[in-house]
Amino acid sequence: MRHTLAVLVENRPGVLVHIAGLIARRAFNIESITAGYTEQADVTRITIVVEGDNRNLEQVVNQLSKLVDVIKIVELTAEPSIERELALIKVKARPETRSDIVDIVEIFRAKIVDVNRETMVIELTGEETKIDALCEVLADHGIVEMVRTGKLALSRKPGAAKDSE
Amino acid sequence: MKMTGAQAIVASLEKEGVELIFGYPGGQVLPLYDALYDCKLRHVLTRHEQGAAHAADGYARATGKVGVCFATSGPGATNLITGIATAYMDSVPMVCITGQVPLSVIGKDSFQEADITGITAPITKHNYLVKNANDLPRVIKEAFFIARTGRPGPVVIDVPKCLMTTTIDFDYPETVRLRGYKPQAEGKAEEVEAVVQALAEAKKPLFFIGGGVITAEAAPLLRRLAETQQIPLISTLMGLGAIPATDPLFLGMVGMHGTVAANRAVMECDLLVGVGVRFDDRVTGLLARFASNARVVHFDIDRAEVNKNVVADLAVVGDLRWSLAALEAAMADFAKAGGPSRWEDWRCQVSRWSQEAPLGYQKSDEVIKPQSVIEEIDRQTKSDAVIVTDVGQHQMWAAQYYRYQRPRRLITSGGLGTMGYGLPAAIGAQMGKPEEQVVLISGDGSFLMNCQELATAVEHRLPLKVAILNNKVLGMVRQWQKLFFNQRYSYTTFANGGTDYVRLAEAFGATGLRAERPEEMPQVIAKALATEGPVVMDIRVCCDENVLPMVPAGAPLDQMINGEVK
Ligand SMILES: Cc1ncc(C[n+]2csc(CCOP(=O)(O)OP(=O)(O)O)c2C)c(N)n1
C-alpha cells in the first residue's frame, strides 16, 4: 500500500538528503519526495510517498522521528486531504493536430503555457490519476518531454500538521 | 567574554565537565590544539585516530560519561569512522570534533577535505557542520545533550578552520531548544498495566535483558524486580553484568553462542519480556521461530526499536528507570499475594537445563585451552576486573567464562563486531577508571589491528594487562570455514607462526610475557597482574578449538551444534 507522509523539518542544508538517505538505507521504497518552504521560514515541509505495509510505515515514521531535524510527521493517507501534483508536458503539435490538443487541454482543465512551431507545453495540476490520464491521451500525439513534481498533500482538517498530535 | 572559536570550544567542553579528550592533531585543527595548550583539559595523543575514537568509546562505556575525541579534517576524520560506527551500533555517548577546511574552500576538493557530515550521517545520532563561529557554544551544548540523553549515541561536530580563529562573544547557553528532539523519560501507565496483566497470566515468563539496562543504569532495579518476582533471566552479549553471572535466576547469554538453558528457555517461554534489547539477528537466530510460543513484551527508550525485528504484543516506551520502577510498583501486590510461586515449575525446569547442560570444554594437560585462560583470569581477578575484548572466538569465550558481577564490567563491540577495538577501548576504560584493574582479552588477529596504541598505554604507564589468546589463526573465521566451508582454510592462518608479541611489547616499552604450556599459564597471569605498567601476555593456545555451543546463522535457537542436554 502507498502512504503519504507530511514531514516537517528544520530548514537546514542537507536535511532532504538525510531523510531520503535514511529511508533508502532502511530498504524502503520512495515513490516520490517533494520539499519546499512553509508559512514558517525556518521550516521545510517534505511530502513523501512510500510503498509498504503498515508495519513498514510504522518503521519509516519511527526511524524518521529519530532524526533531530525532524519536527513532526503526519500520515495523510489516513485523513481527508488534498493531494496535488504539477506536470509540465511538452507535446508534438503540428498545425493540423493543434486544435485536437487544445480540446484535450480544455477537457482536462489544463493550461497551455507555451507554443512554438512544432511543440506545445501543457501545464496541469491535479491528482496523480488525472495527470496519468492526460499523459495517456497526449501520448497519441507524441510526448517530447515531461516533468512532474511528485505529490504534495495538505490535510482538509482545520488545524495544521504542526499542531497535530 | 571575547575569545576565539577555538578557545570557545575549549571553554564549552569545560562547561560540559569534560576531563579527558582523545585525539590526533593536524593542519585543520591546529588552532584548537593551540588553545588546548593553555587550558586544564587533559588530552591523550593516540597513535591513530581510530584509536582515539575507540578510546573515547571505552571511556564512555566504563564511566557512563560522554567520550570526546578530536581529529583533523580529511584522513584524520575518516580514520574515526569505524570508531563512530562502533559507538553508534552499541548506543555509546560520544562527541567527536573534527577540523574542516576553511569555509571559503569547502566543496573544492581542497587539500585534506572530506565531506565528513555526509559520510557520518548514517552512523551518528546527529551531526553538525558549523558555519558561523558564534554558533559554536550552542552547537556543543546541543551535541552533548543529544549524545547523552534518550538513546545515547555519537555526535559529530565539523568545524572549519577559519571559525577557530574568529573572535566571538562567548556565552554558554543554559538550556537547549531543539524542536525535533524531546526525549521522553516517562511512558504511559496503561502500557505498564498491560504488562502486569500479561505477567499475571503467564506460566513461563522470562526476562530478556540487553545493553539498554546498563546504559540506563537500571540494573539494580531489574535485579530487584527479578528477585521479588522470581522470574528467570537471560542476557545478550551487551547485557552481561547487569545481573551477576552467579545469580541462580540467571541462565546466561542467549543466541548464537548462548547457553543451552538460555536458548531453550526462549523457545519454551510463554512470555518474553525484552528489556533494553534490539532483537539482533545474532540473538534471535531464525526470526520466525524465535520465542514462537510466547507473547513478546518490549521495554525500550527508542520507539523505533519496537516491531523493528520482532513484532511485540505489548510495548512500554520510556526510560527503563521509569518503566521498570513503574512495573515494580504495579507488581508489588502480586508478589505479596504469592503470585511468583505459580512459576515454580518453570523455574525448576530452567535451572535443571542449566545444571544438565553447563558450558564446558575438553580440558587438556598438553595444550593451553583458551577457555581455561579466561577461567584463570576470572579466578585471579576475583570476577571483578573490567574486561575489554576484541572480536572473535576470544570475545565469545570472554563472554561465556568470565563471571561478570556488575554492569560496565564487559566492554566489547557487540553491534559492529569491530576487530581492533580492544586495545584503544581498554586504554579509554583504564583512563576513566584508574583505580580498577582493566584486562584486555584479545586475539592475535585483532590485536595487530591497533597494536600501535601500546605506545599510548606505555606513555601513560597504564596498569592495563593484555592477554592475547594466540592461536596463530583468525580463529572465528576459521571456525566457520571448518563447520560450513568444508575445512577450506582460505587465508585465515598467519604465516611463519605469526608475530612475536613479547618482542612487539618490548619494542613499545611494555612488558612482554609468554605462556606456552598449560602449567605456565597461571603464573604468567599472576606475574602480569603483579607487574607495573602495561603488560602483554602472549598465551599460545591451541588453534583448533571451537566456540560452542553454536547456533548456525539463520537457524532456530534450538538447533545447537554440541548443545544437547545430557
Ligand atoms: C575489522 C574487522 N575485520 C574483519 C572481521 C571479521 N572477523 C570476525 S572474527 C575474525 C577473526 C578474529 O581473529 P582473532 O582476533 O585472532 O581472534 P580469534 O577468533 O582467533 O580469537 C575476523 C577476521 C571483523 N570482525 N572486524
Side-chain angles (χ1 to χ4, degrees):
Chain A
M1 194 190 152
R2 277 163 147 205
H3 301 272
T4 307
L5 301 175
V7 183
L8 301 178
V9 301
E10 297 287 348
N11 178 14
R12 292 223 181 101
V15 63
L16 182 63
V17 177
H18 203 158
I19 287 194
L22 188 146
I23 298 176
R25 200 160 67 239
R26 298 266 175 194
F28 301 118
N29 217 8
I30 301 176
E31 300 256 318
S32 89
I33 184 162
T34 60
Y37 300 116
T38 65
E39 73 284 359
Q40 293 164 283
D42 54 353
V43 174
T44 297
R45 180 162 171 149
I46 304 177
T47 309
I48 306 174
V49 183
V50 285
E51 172 76 45
D53 60 22
N54 283 336
R55 210 180 135 200
N56 292 152
L57 177 76
E58 180 192 328
Q59 257 302 303
V60 171
V61 171
N62 286 343
Q63 293 293 345
L64 286 180
S65 305
K66 282 170 67 168
L67 297 181
V68 172
D69 285 335
V70 170
I71 301 164
K72 182 145 271 170
I73 303 176
V74 181
E75 204 217 324
L76 292 174
T77 330
E79 52 184 80
S81 52
I82 297 161
E83 301 189 335
R84 289 290 183 275
E85 200 178 335
L86 165 68
L88 293 174
I89 307 160
K90 193 189 291 170
V91 65
K92 281 196 190 125
R94 279 168 287 115
E96 59 271 31
T97 59
R98 226 171 247 162
S99 64
D100 263 4
I101 296 173
V102 172
D103 285 348
I104 294 168
V105 166
E106 223 147 80
I107 293 165
F108 277 89
R109 290 174 211 273
K111 240 197 290 183
I112 294 162
V113 289
D114 190 55
V115 181
N116 65 28
R117 256 201 235 127
E118 294 149 49
T119 59
M120 274 161 125
V121 176
I122 297 157
E123 174 194 319
L124 176 64
T125 357
E127 289 190 8
E128 201 184 350
T129 47
K130 183 173 173 186
I131 295 175
D132 289 345
L134 175 65
C135 291
E136 208 167 295
V137 180
L138 290 178
D140 296 343
H141 294 272
I143 294 175
V144 180
E145 67 175 333
M146 167 172 92
V147 55
R148 292 170 72 154
T149 56
K151 195 195 275 182
L152 284 180
L154 201 66
S155 163
R156 298 177 62 181
K157 293 201 293 203
K162 63 173 184 265
D163 309 317
S164 67
E165 230 310 273
Chain B
M1 208 158 89
K2 293 253 185 261
M3 55 176 81
T4 65
Q7 288 166 335
I9 294 173
V10 168
S12 303
L13 294 177
E14 283 172 339
K15 291 267 186 198
E16 287 299 327
V18 173
E19 290 157 356
L20 204 55
I21 297 156
F22 300 90
Y24 208 98
Q28 312 299 343
V29 274
L30 263 180
L32 181 55
Y33 272 79
D34 191 60
L36 279 180
Y37 201 76
D38 303 316
C39 79
K40 285 201 222 65
L41 287 177
R42 192 164 165 218
H43 174 279
V44 173
L45 174 69
T46 57
R47 273 28 175 198
H48 188 302
E49 287 88 352
Q50 189 184 341
H54 290 323
D57 168 312
Y59 171 88
R61 293 193 208 216
T63 61
K65 298 178 198 163
V66 179
V68 180
C69 62
F70 287 179
T72 191
S73 69
T78 55
N79 270 349
L80 294 178
I81 300 299
T82 304
I84 295 171
T86 302
Y88 182 70
M89 288 293 271
D90 290 340
S91 308
V92 177
M94 217 156 97
V95 170
C96 312
I97 299 183
T98 51
Q100 182 54 280
V101 299
L103 282 174
S104 56
V105 295
I106 286 185
K108 318 247 185 257
D109 297 328
S110 310
F111 179 64
Q112 296 195 326
E113 180 185 359
D115 170 15
I116 213 64
T117 44
I119 294 170
T120 60
I123 52 167
T124 48
K125 188 168 170 188
H126 192 54
N127 67 29
Y128 296 89
L129 168 58
V130 188
K131 297 252 179 87
N132 183 329
N134 291 303
D135 292 340
L136 282 167
R138 174 184 59 80
V139 164
I140 293 174
K141 176 88 188 172
E142 287 176 7
F144 275 83
F145 180 71
I146 292 167
R148 67 159 76 98
T149 53
R151 178 181 186 171
V155 178
V156 167
I157 308 173
D158 199 29
V159 187
K161 185 178 186 179
C162 55
L163 303 194
M164 298 184 204
T165 48
T166 307
T167 302
I168 66 163
D169 246 330
F170 180 73
D171 184 16
Y172 203 62
E174 295 278 303
T175 52
V176 292
R177 257 201 69 243
L178 290 162
R179 275 188 290 194
Y181 181 73
K182 293 200 173 60
Q184 290 241 288
E186 300 199 357
K188 299 198 182 89
E190 318 86 89
E191 292 176 344
V192 178
E193 277 306 320
V195 178
V196 175
Q197 189 61 34
L199 274 164
E201 288 162 12
K203 296 200 171 60
K204 301 173 181 178
L206 184 66
F207 273 133
F208 166 38
I209 61 185
V213 174
I214 292 172
T215 306
E217 305 283 359
L221 257 174
L222 181 76
R223 192 175 168 193
R224 208 165 60 211
L225 186 64
E227 233 122 72
T228 30
Q229 301 300 338
Q230 287 290 301
I231 296 174
L233 310 104
I234 58 174
S235 165
T236 67
L237 174 66
M238 300 308 293
L240 291 177
I243 298 295
T246 44
D247 190 313
L249 285 167
F250 185 59
L251 309 180
M253 184 166 76
V254 63
M256 183 172 278
H257 295 296
T259 63
V260 171
N263 285 350
R264 284 196 70 172
V266 171
M267 298 307 275
E268 296 218 9
C269 67
D270 67 355
L271 185 72
L272 184 73
V273 185
V275 187
V277 290
R278 59 188 180 84
F279 297 95
D280 173 80
D281 55 285
R282 277 288 185 273
V283 159
T284 60
L286 181 68
L287 260 183
R289 295 273 313 277
F290 179 77
S292 46
N293 297 319
R295 294 176 81 191
V296 174
V297 179
H298 195 174
F299 284 78
D300 209 289
I301 194 157
D302 183 358
R303 185 176 296 279
E305 284 304 329
V306 177
N307 296 341
K308 186 182 77 180
N309 296 336
V310 165
V311 180
D313 298 279
L314 297 171
V316 181
V317 176
D319 189 324
L320 295 179
R321 267 171 306 184
W322 170 83
S323 51
L324 291 179
L327 183 61
E328 184 181 31
M331 291 289 287
D333 289 343
F334 180 79
K336 268 191 227 127
S341 64
R342 296 196 290 120
W343 301 325
E344 206 161 313
D345 285 352
W346 169 237
R347 274 193 306 275
C348 289
Q349 188 173 32
V350 296
S351 65
R352 211 176 319 119
W353 290 334
S354 280
Q355 282 152 22
E356 285 168 352
L359 286 169
Y361 61 97
Q362 200 73 48
K363 303 234 166 31
S364 166
D365 294 329
E366 300 300 310
V367 284
I368 303 179
K369 286 296 184 114
Q371 300 92 332
S372 73
V373 181
I374 312 287
E375 287 179 328
E376 187 59 28
I377 294 172
D378 178 67
R379 204 178 60 76
Q380 292 198 26
T381 57
K382 304 190 173 59
S383 309
D384 201 32
V386 174
I387 300 292
V388 185
T389 81
D390 265 296
V391 171
Q393 291 182 313
H394 62 275
Q395 177 188 32
M396 290 300 118
W397 286 317
Q400 292 177 333
Y401 290 94
Y402 199 90
R403 293 174 299 172
Y404 303 94
Q405 301 299 313
R406 290 195 269 160
R408 303 195 184 281
R409 294 275 137 164
L410 171 62
I411 294 179
T412 190
S413 168
L416 201 66
T418 313
M419 288 173 73
Y421 171 77
L423 181 57
I427 289 171
Q430 185 72 80
M431 298 200 112
K433 290 274 178 191
E435 71 290 357
E436 306 274 4
Q437 178 63 65
V438 176
V439 178
L440 166 62
I441 293 168
S442 189
D444 45 338
S446 293
F447 188 74
L448 279 184
M449 281 205 179
N450 273 318
C451 62
Q452 75 285 349
E453 297 307 336
L454 262 182
T456 313
V458 169
E459 179 185 339
H460 295 275
R461 304 166 112 113
L462 299 179
L464 178 65
K465 312 302 167 209
V466 182
I468 301 177
L469 305 191
N470 184 357
N471 52 11
K472 300 183 181 143
V473 294
L474 298 173
M476 187 57 98
V477 180
R478 189 178 189 277
Q479 172 168 344
W480 284 56
Q481 290 172 328
K482 183 174 177 176
L483 297 173
F484 312 116
F485 290 87
N486 236 336
Q487 306 188 25
R488 286 155 58 88
Y489 298 122
S490 178
Y491 300 101
T492 46
T493 306
F494 286 120
N496 311 325
T499 304
D500 184 338
Y501 294 98
V502 172
R503 288 175 66 190
L504 180 108
E506 285 165 356
F508 280 107
T511 307
L513 300 174
R514 177 170 293 127
E516 280 170 305
R517 308 261 329 138
E519 62 276 13
E520 294 167 358
M521 184 265 288
Q523 281 98 302
V524 163
I525 293 171
K527 185 159 178 217
L529 290 172
T531 305
E532 255 182 68
V535 180
V536 177
M537 293 171 266
D538 180 6
I539 303 175
R540 301 291 176 87
V541 299
C542 55
C543 77
D544 207 28
E545 199 69 17
N546 286 329
V547 181
L548 295 171
M550 177 175 192
V551 178
L557 292 184
D558 52 3
Q559 268 180 33
M560 271 173 281
I561 299 172
N562 196 17
E564 312 85 46
V565 178
K566 283 177 216 114

